């Protein structure tokens, strides 16, 4: 799904040729290469969302933005209404597809890809403030991008542009974030029934008649999606699990995959990872003007190629289970605030030994009585603090924290959405999701479906949480489709070695020394190499580094940003 175009704010006619040139720069296949031009607006590319081109226009005029709130699926849309003289750009509340906007006094350029904007003449200059926050792992906004002057429309929001007077209004239309999780209820059985009904509907809607591939890792989330897909009573379609296996490595999940196969009576197509292809991802960064995809995510492309070879147009994943069902202790602060000490004590665990009692009291104190609102500001040892002077990062952090505090009605409400984590992970996920869309294979996530998320947001934290078990409600909701080893599974596979091998193939930390991050004074290369040692040694030994040394994600981002700046041709 891709589209792009131009809106003139100065009264001049929009250029159909410019919109066509923008579309030609797309990495995602366009459903329709036609250009729709009407006076000051030109839009290129297919726009299948929101009931199609003309019905969407009529529906928006008649019902307003409220008609978008309950619209299901992962969609983006651009709707021009010549009667009202308004162009509406909008994104699904849980959408993964982007809309990017660049505004000048004369015009607004928009598109779903950064390369489209570059083709329209937008200068590719790095935004130093956004880069500094990315390096510090402390982004303060969701709408700013690494390219100066280019903004990202947040999920669940719309932009209304009226070319004549040149007015632009941005607002949220989704009611999803307004759902405040209750302090108690429903009980586990009722919660599981509600989640199972929502998940069944989400999987049913995501599975085409031609059949579907399911990314099966052997974890609870992907096994749940596969199990529900295999047990749809009213449909008979091909459901083909596809798995990555790592023989001889600590991250290999073959025993769990085999347990799922036996339980559901299916056979997974098993693939082994390919080496990270730096030539491909450097070329990707150059063409798409995006970060290179992380090595553990790049493995997904092997699955997608297999799905296409099998004639399966769509792949399902278990993405979303960690986000919505984990059952973390966000609600502890709400229990303490409202004086529900007995519930808080039960939620802290079951240990009765002196040491266990001290642990439970510590959990109550740190998560309930004195939690850190919004999370602590992260620190990384290789960032040169003097380079941050004058960028106003402290003020931006304070404003962001205050905005987060005012936006949510409870600690649990805030924790479910994790705004600081969403901001930090946004650019990485943008690049990955765009690379998947570029393959032409559908990539759907039933655990991120709006019906599922609405169901889980209506469940109290004290129902989701269990002291000794993550994803309590999800496990209960799909209990009969999970084999006992998966249903009781407590551990999780990590793929640090894939990242380490990719960095080593690129030349290791030394490759950064001649790059812009060191040359422009952002990072200390010696500190990077000191941090790299424990991470690399732990990965090669098949273990996780100590918490104080666990910099694998942050270190990869240095190589991603380095590649983005160099291969993408981003200038200062």
């Amino acid at each position: 799904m891709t589209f792009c175009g131009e809106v003139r704010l100065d009264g001049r006619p929009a250029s159909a040729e410019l919109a066509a040139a923008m579309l030609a720069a797309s990495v995602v296949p366009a459903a329709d290469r036609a250009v729709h031009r009407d006076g000051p607006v030109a839009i290129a590319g297919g726009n299948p969302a929101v009931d199609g081109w003309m019905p969407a226009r009529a529906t928006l005029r008649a019902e307003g933005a409220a008609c978008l709130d309950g619209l299901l699926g992962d969609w983006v849309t651009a709707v021009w209404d010549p009667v009202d003289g308004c162009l509406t750009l909008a994104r699904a509340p849980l959408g993964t597809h982007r809309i990017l906007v660049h505004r000048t006094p004369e015009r607004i350029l928009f598109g779903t890809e950064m390369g489209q904007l570059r083709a329209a003449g937008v200068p590719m200059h790095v935004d130093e403030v956004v880069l500094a926050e990315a390096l510090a792992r402390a982004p303060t906004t969701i709408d700013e991008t690494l390219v100066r002057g280019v903004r990202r429309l947040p999920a669940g929001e719309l932009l209304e542009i009226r070319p004549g007077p040149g007015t632009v209004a941005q607002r949220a239309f989704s009611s999803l974030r307004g759902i405040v999780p209750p302090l108690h209820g429903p009980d586990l059985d009722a919660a599981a029934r509600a989640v199972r009904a929502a998940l069944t509907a989400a999987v049913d809607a995501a599975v085409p008649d031609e059949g579907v591939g399911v990314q099966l890792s052997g974890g609870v989330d992907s096994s749940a999606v596969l199990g529900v897909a295999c047990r749809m009573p009213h449909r008979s379609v091909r459901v083909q699990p596809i798995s990555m296996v790592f023989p001889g490595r600590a991250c290999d999940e073959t025993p769990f995959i085999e347990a799922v196969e036996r339980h559901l009576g299916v056979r997974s197509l098993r693939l082994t990872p390919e080496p990270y292809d730096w030539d491909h991802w450097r070329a990707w960064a150059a063409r798409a003007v995006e970060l290179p995809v992380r090595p553990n995510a790049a493995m997904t492309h092997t699955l997608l190629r297999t799905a296409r070879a099998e004639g399966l147009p769509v792949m399902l994943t278990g993405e979303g289970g960690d986000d919505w069902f984990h059952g973390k202790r966000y609600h502890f602060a709400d229990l303490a605030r409202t004086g529900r000490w007995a519930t808080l004590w039960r939620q802290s665990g079951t240990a009765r030994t002196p040491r266990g009692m001290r642990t439970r009291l510590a959990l109550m104190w740190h998560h309930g009585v004195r939690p850190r609102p919004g999370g602590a500001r992260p620190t990384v040892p290789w960032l040169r603090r003097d380079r941050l002077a004058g960028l106003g990062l402290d003020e931006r952090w304070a404003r962001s924290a205050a905005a987060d505090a005012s936006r949510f009605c409870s600690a649990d409400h805030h924790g479910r959405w994790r705004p600081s984590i969403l901001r930090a992970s946004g650019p990485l996920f943008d690049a990955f999701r765009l690379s998947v869309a570029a393959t032409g294979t559908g990539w759907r996530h039933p655990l991120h479906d709006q019906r599922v998320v609405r169901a889980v947001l209506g469940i109290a934290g004290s129902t989701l949480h269990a002291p000794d078990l993550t994803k309590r409600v999800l496990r209960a909701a799909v209990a009969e489709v999970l084999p006992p080893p998966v249903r009781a599974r407590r551990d999780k596979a990590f793929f640090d070695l894939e990242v380490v091998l990719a960095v080593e193939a690129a030349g290791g930390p030394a490759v950064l020394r001649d790059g812009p991050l060191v040359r422009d004074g952002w990072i200390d290369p010696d500190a990077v190499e000191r941090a790299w040692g424990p991470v690399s040694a732990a990965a090669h030994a098949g273990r996780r580094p100590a918490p104080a040394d666990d910099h694998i994600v942050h270190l990869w981002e240095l190589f991603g940003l380095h590649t983005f700046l160099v291969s993408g041709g981003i200038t200062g």
Side-chain angles (χ1 to χ4, degrees):
M1 183 183 300
T2 192
F3 58 76
C4 50
E6 177 190 37
V7 185
R8 301 296 308 198
L9 303 178
D10 56 7
R12 298 176 60 186
S15 169
E17 293 76 14
L18 177 68
M22 294 172 69
L23 187 64
S26 304
V27 298
V28 176
D32 179 0
R33 304 203 69 83
V35 176
H36 304 265
R37 190 178 72 82
D38 185 0
V41 175
I43 304 174
N47 190 30
V50 199
D51 301 323
W53 183 268
M54 295 300 289
R57 188 168 66 189
T59 304
L60 271 175
R61 187 186 310 141
E63 301 179 21
C67 69
L68 302 176
D69 187 22
L71 195 68
L72 300 173
D74 185 357
W75 54 267
V76 288
T77 192
V79 181
W80 166 241
D81 189 338
V83 175
D84 288 343
C86 180
L87 175 71
T88 300
L89 305 175
R91 281 185 63 193
L94 297 168
T96 63
H97 299 292
R98 292 178 309 183
I99 297 179
L100 301 172
V101 178
H102 180 267
R103 181 179 182 180
T104 67
E106 296 78 26
R107 67 181 182 179
I108 290 177
L109 297 167
F110 62 90
T112 53
E113 305 178 27
M114 192 70 75
Q116 295 167 341
L117 300 185
R118 180 176 60 183
V122 174
M124 295 290 106
H125 297 318
V126 69
D127 188 317
E128 284 204 342
V129 174
V130 177
L131 176 61
E133 290 187 342
L135 290 168
R137 291 290 299 167
T140 58
T141 66
I142 194 68
D143 62 319
E144 293 176 304
T145 71
L146 286 163
V147 176
R148 192 186 313 157
V150 176
R151 298 267 173 164
R152 175 194 299 107
L153 183 66
E157 296 194 13
L158 59 81
L159 198 64
E160 293 176 327
I161 307 169
R162 299 183 183 277
T167 59
V168 180
Q170 182 173 329
R171 56 193 170 91
F173 64 82
S174 172
S175 62
L176 202 61
R177 293 201 180 205
I179 300 174
V180 182
L183 275 173
H184 50 83
D187 62 28
L188 179 60
D189 289 341
R193 287 194 299 272
V195 166
R196 179 56 182 267
L199 182 56
T200 299
V203 170
D204 189 17
V207 174
D209 292 337
E210 301 92 325
V212 68
V214 183
Q215 182 182 15
L216 173 64
S217 69
V220 172
D221 305 335
S222 64
S223 301
V225 171
L226 174 63
V228 172
C230 289
R231 298 288 172 86
M232 292 187 295
H234 60 291
R235 295 183 65 184
S236 177
V237 298
R238 181 188 178 193
V239 178
Q240 177 60 63
I242 308 176
S243 303
M244 296 297 297
V245 294
F246 305 82
R249 293 191 188 177
C251 60
D252 185 64
E253 298 179 275
T254 297
F256 296 105
I257 293 168
E258 291 174 342
V260 172
E261 290 175 333
R262 289 191 297 270
H263 189 73
L264 296 177
V266 297
R267 179 66 178 173
S268 180
L269 299 176
R270 300 184 195 179
L271 313 172
T272 55
E274 301 170 354
Y276 192 73
D277 187 345
W278 275 108
D279 290 339
H280 171 81
W281 291 114
R282 289 188 185 107
W284 160 261
R287 182 185 175 195
V289 199
E290 295 287 346
L291 294 166
V293 172
R294 284 174 58 180
N296 50 341
M299 297 185 297
T300 298
H301 287 262
T302 305
L303 302 176
L304 295 173
R305 286 196 297 271
T306 301
R308 290 196 301 274
E310 291 286 322
L312 302 170
V314 168
M315 280 282 289
L316 305 186
T317 81
E319 184 180 329
D322 288 336
D323 297 320
W324 305 112
F325 289 96
H326 191 279
K328 294 189 177 179
R329 302 183 184 96
Y330 306 129
H331 63 296
F332 275 27
D334 300 323
L335 294 174
R337 175 177 52 83
T338 56
R340 289 172 165 82
W341 298 106
T343 302
L344 181 55
W345 176 248
R346 288 193 298 271
Q347 291 273 289
S348 68
T350 58
R352 299 292 181 182
T353 64
R355 181 177 180 179
M357 298 284 273
R358 288 194 298 270
T359 299
R360 293 175 67 181
L361 290 171
L363 289 174
M364 291 174 64
W365 176 263
H366 291 298
H367 294 278
V369 180
R370 287 287 184 270
R372 294 177 293 180
R377 186 171 180 174
T379 59
V380 289
W382 50 81
L383 189 61
R384 293 190 184 275
R385 299 291 164 180
D386 57 326
R387 185 63 174 81
L388 307 182
L391 296 179
L393 300 190
D394 290 336
E395 294 81 0
R396 286 168 60 92
W397 178 268
R399 287 197 301 270
S400 178
D404 287 346
S406 66
R407 193 175 295 127
F408 300 99
C409 299
S410 69
D412 197 15
H413 189 200
H414 177 278
R416 303 281 184 105
W417 290 99
R418 306 175 305 158
S420 61
I421 295 177
L422 289 177
R423 291 191 290 263
S425 60
L428 293 173
F429 282 120
D430 279 350
F432 172 60
R433 287 160 177 160
L434 185 65
S435 75
V436 169
T439 69
T441 302
W443 185 243
R444 300 177 186 172
H445 319 290
L447 292 174
H448 272 310
D449 185 274
Q450 189 174 158
R451 288 162 289 198
V452 175
V453 175
R454 284 188 181 276
V456 76
L457 288 175
I459 300 171
S462 53
T463 303
L464 287 172
H465 176 73
D468 58 347
L469 187 69
T470 62
K471 304 175 187 176
R472 175 183 185 232
V473 169
L474 180 59
R475 293 174 198 260
V478 295
E480 87 285 357
V481 302
L482 297 181
V486 175
R487 192 164 62 243
R489 187 175 179 182
R490 303 295 199 271
D491 64 334
K492 189 176 182 68
F494 294 94
F495 300 94
D496 293 0
L497 184 58
E498 301 306 314
V499 177
V500 168
L501 293 175
V503 171
E504 290 174 349
V511 76
L512 300 175
R513 289 186 176 273
D514 295 327
L517 297 179
V518 173
R519 185 174 60 246
D520 295 341
W522 291 107
I523 62 173
D524 176 356
D526 294 330
V528 172
E529 295 199 4
R530 287 193 297 271
W532 179 255
V535 167
S536 175
H540 280 290
R543 56 178 175 78
R544 298 285 289 174
D549 297 323
D550 192 4
H551 296 300
I552 188 69
V553 173
H554 312 328
L555 285 165
W556 169 256
E557 289 177 357
L558 295 180
F559 293 92
L561 289 167
H562 168 88
T563 306
F564 170 74
L565 295 171
V566 174
S567 299
I570 309 299
T571 60

Coordinates of all heavy atoms in Angstrom, one line a residue, residues 191-219:
A191 N -12.3 -13.0 31.1 CA -11.3 -12.3 30.3 C -10.8 -13.2 29.1 O -10.7 -12.8 28.0 CB -10.1 -11.9 31.1
A192 N -10.6 -14.5 29.4 CA -10.1 -15.4 28.4 C -11.1 -15.6 27.3 O -10.8 -15.7 26.1 CB -9.7 -16.8 29.0
R193 N -12.4 -15.7 27.7 CA -13.5 -15.9 26.7 C -13.5 -14.7 25.7 O -13.7 -14.8 24.5 CB -14.8 -16.1 27.3 CG -15.0 -17.5 28.0 CD -16.4 -17.8 28.3 NE -17.0 -16.8 29.2 CZ -16.9 -17.0 30.6 NH1 -16.3 -18.0 31.1 NH2 -17.4 -16.1 31.4
A194 N -13.4 -13.5 26.3 CA -13.5 -12.3 25.5 C -12.3 -12.2 24.5 O -12.4 -11.8 23.4 CB -13.5 -11.0 26.4
V195 N -11.1 -12.5 25.0 CA -9.9 -12.5 24.2 C -10.0 -13.5 23.1 O -9.7 -13.3 21.9 CB -8.7 -12.7 25.0 CG1 -7.4 -13.0 24.2 CG2 -8.4 -11.4 25.9
R196 N -10.5 -14.7 23.4 CA -10.6 -15.8 22.4 C -11.5 -15.4 21.3 O -11.3 -15.6 20.1 CB -11.0 -17.1 23.1 CG -11.1 -18.3 22.1 CD -9.8 -18.5 21.3 NE -9.9 -19.6 20.4 CZ -9.6 -20.8 20.6 NH1 -9.2 -21.2 21.8 NH2 -9.7 -21.8 19.7
A197 N -12.7 -14.8 21.7 CA -13.6 -14.4 20.6 C -13.0 -13.3 19.7 O -13.2 -13.4 18.5 CB -14.9 -13.9 21.3
A198 N -12.3 -12.4 20.3 CA -11.7 -11.3 19.5 C -10.6 -11.8 18.6 O -10.5 -11.5 17.5 CB -11.2 -10.2 20.5
L199 N -9.8 -12.7 19.2 CA -8.7 -13.3 18.4 C -9.2 -14.2 17.3 O -8.6 -14.1 16.2 CB -7.8 -14.1 19.4 CG -6.5 -14.7 18.7 CD1 -5.7 -13.6 18.0 CD2 -5.7 -15.4 19.7
T200 N -10.2 -14.9 17.5 CA -10.8 -15.8 16.5 C -11.3 -14.9 15.3 O -11.1 -15.2 14.1 CB -11.9 -16.6 17.0 OG1 -11.4 -17.5 18.0 CG2 -12.6 -17.5 15.9
A201 N -12.0 -13.8 15.7 CA -12.4 -12.9 14.6 C -11.3 -12.2 13.9 O -11.3 -12.1 12.6 CB -13.3 -11.8 15.2
A202 N -10.2 -11.9 14.6 CA -9.1 -11.2 14.0 C -8.4 -12.2 13.0 O -8.0 -11.8 11.9 CB -8.1 -10.7 15.0
V203 N -8.2 -13.4 13.4 CA -7.5 -14.4 12.6 C -8.4 -14.7 11.3 O -7.9 -14.8 10.2 CB -7.2 -15.7 13.4 CG1 -6.7 -16.8 12.4 CG2 -6.1 -15.4 14.4
D204 N -9.7 -14.9 11.6 CA -10.6 -15.2 10.5 C -10.5 -14.1 9.4 O -10.4 -14.3 8.2 CB -12.0 -15.3 11.0 CG -13.0 -15.8 10.0 OD1 -12.5 -16.3 8.9 OD2 -14.2 -15.6 10.2
A205 N -10.5 -12.8 9.9 CA -10.4 -11.7 8.9 C -9.1 -11.6 8.2 O -9.0 -11.1 7.1 CB -10.7 -10.4 9.7
A206 N -8.0 -12.1 8.8 CA -6.7 -12.0 8.2 C -6.3 -13.1 7.3 O -5.4 -13.0 6.5 CB -5.6 -11.9 9.4
V207 N -7.1 -14.2 7.3 CA -6.8 -15.3 6.5 C -7.5 -15.3 5.1 O -8.7 -15.3 5.1 CB -7.1 -16.6 7.2 CG1 -6.9 -17.9 6.3 CG2 -6.3 -16.8 8.5
P208 N -6.8 -15.2 4.0 CA -7.5 -15.2 2.7 C -7.9 -16.6 2.3 O -7.4 -17.6 2.8 CB -6.5 -14.6 1.8 CG -5.2 -15.0 2.4 CD -5.4 -15.0 3.9
D209 N -8.8 -16.8 1.4 CA -9.2 -18.1 0.9 C -8.1 -18.9 0.2 O -8.1 -20.1 0.2 CB -10.4 -17.9 -0.1 CG -11.6 -17.4 0.6 OD1 -11.7 -17.6 1.8 OD2 -12.5 -16.8 -0.1
E210 N -7.1 -18.2 -0.3 CA -6.0 -18.9 -1.0 C -5.1 -19.6 0.0 O -4.2 -20.4 -0.4 CB -5.1 -17.9 -1.8 CG -5.9 -17.1 -2.8 CD -6.4 -15.8 -2.3 OE1 -6.8 -15.7 -1.1 OE2 -6.5 -14.8 -3.1
G211 N -5.2 -19.4 1.3 CA -4.4 -20.0 2.3 C -3.4 -19.0 2.9 O -3.3 -17.8 2.4
V212 N -2.8 -19.4 4.0 CA -2.0 -18.4 4.8 C -0.7 -19.1 5.3 O -0.8 -20.3 5.7 CB -2.8 -17.8 5.9 CG1 -3.2 -18.9 7.0 CG2 -2.1 -16.6 6.5
G213 N 0.4 -18.4 5.4 CA 1.5 -18.9 6.1 C 1.5 -18.3 7.5 O 1.0 -17.2 7.7
V214 N 2.0 -19.0 8.5 CA 2.1 -18.5 9.9 C 3.5 -18.6 10.3 O 4.1 -19.7 10.3 CB 1.1 -19.3 10.8 CG1 1.2 -18.7 12.2 CG2 -0.3 -19.2 10.3
Q215 N 4.1 -17.5 10.8 CA 5.4 -17.6 11.3 C 5.4 -18.2 12.7 O 4.9 -17.7 13.7 CB 6.0 -16.1 11.5 CG 7.4 -16.1 12.0 CD 7.9 -14.6 12.2 OE1 7.1 -13.7 12.2 NE2 9.2 -14.5 12.3
L216 N 5.9 -19.4 12.8 CA 5.9 -20.2 14.0 C 7.3 -20.3 14.6 O 8.2 -20.8 14.0 CB 5.4 -21.6 13.7 CG 5.5 -22.6 14.9 CD1 4.6 -22.2 16.0 CD2 5.2 -24.0 14.5
S217 N 7.4 -19.7 15.8 CA 8.7 -19.7 16.5 C 8.8 -20.8 17.6 O 9.8 -21.3 18.0 CB 9.0 -18.4 17.1 OG 8.1 -18.1 18.2
G218 N 7.6 -21.2 18.1 CA 7.5 -22.1 19.2 C 7.2 -21.4 20.5 O 7.1 -22.0 21.6
G219 N 7.1 -20.0 20.4 CA 6.7 -19.3 21.6 C 5.1 -19.2 21.8 O 4.4 -19.7 20.9

